[in-house]
Amino acid sequence: MLPMGNIESMTVENTSIGEMLAATVPMVRTLNLEFLEVTPERAVLRLPDQPEYHNHIAGPHAGAMFTLAESASGAIVLSAFGDQLSRAVPLAVRAEIGYKKLAKGPVTATATLGRPVAEVIAELDAGRRPEFPVSIAIQREDEAVSGEMTIWWTLRPNS
């Protein structure tokens, strides 16, 4: 899960999402994740092929692919709801991942938001703690889907 302790002091307008996550989430830096695209509707991150993060069959380790997908979901959440950080903290509440095909080489995670931003903010405005899914496809260079993940996020109102 993304610890957002230091992120509230940053502004989405003045800092790229990739820079924000790299500054506040050490695993993003550790895995050398690359931010290819980040919008409120879609985030695309890439995990380079790095032997130090391989599994026993010379592909990206399942934990590295999980972190890649979770980071892509965090990027889209920050892009979509970064303007709400003064009143709510985004938190991942649960995740499910399925590994579909063997991955070798670099892999890319594409995250998409599962609910309209305005709908989620309306729930927050009404005093509720909204939950929303982010779906992520993990693909090999040949574009075959090697994994799929869904992470449910919430915006927890600040006390």
Side-chain angles (χ1 to χ4, degrees), residues 31-106:
L31 291 177
N32 302 305
L33 299 183
E34 300 167 1
F35 291 76
L36 306 179
E37 176 186 343
V38 180
T39 71
E41 294 81 31
R42 174 179 145 109
V44 182
L45 274 67
R46 182 174 179 270
L47 173 65
D49 187 26
Q50 302 167 91
E52 60 271 28
Y53 302 116
H54 280 178
N55 57 21
H56 61 291
I57 53 175
H61 189 278
M65 291 195 312
F66 183 100
T67 301
L68 169 69
E70 196 271 349
S71 297
S73 78
I76 199 171
V77 168
L78 283 176
S79 183
F81 303 107
D83 60 345
Q84 303 299 313
L85 293 178
S86 64
R87 66 180 186 141
V89 175
L91 298 169
V93 294
R94 66 184 175 277
E96 182 177 317
I97 191 165
Y99 299 100
K100 308 292 184 185
K101 292 185 179 191
L102 180 64
K104 293 274 188 168

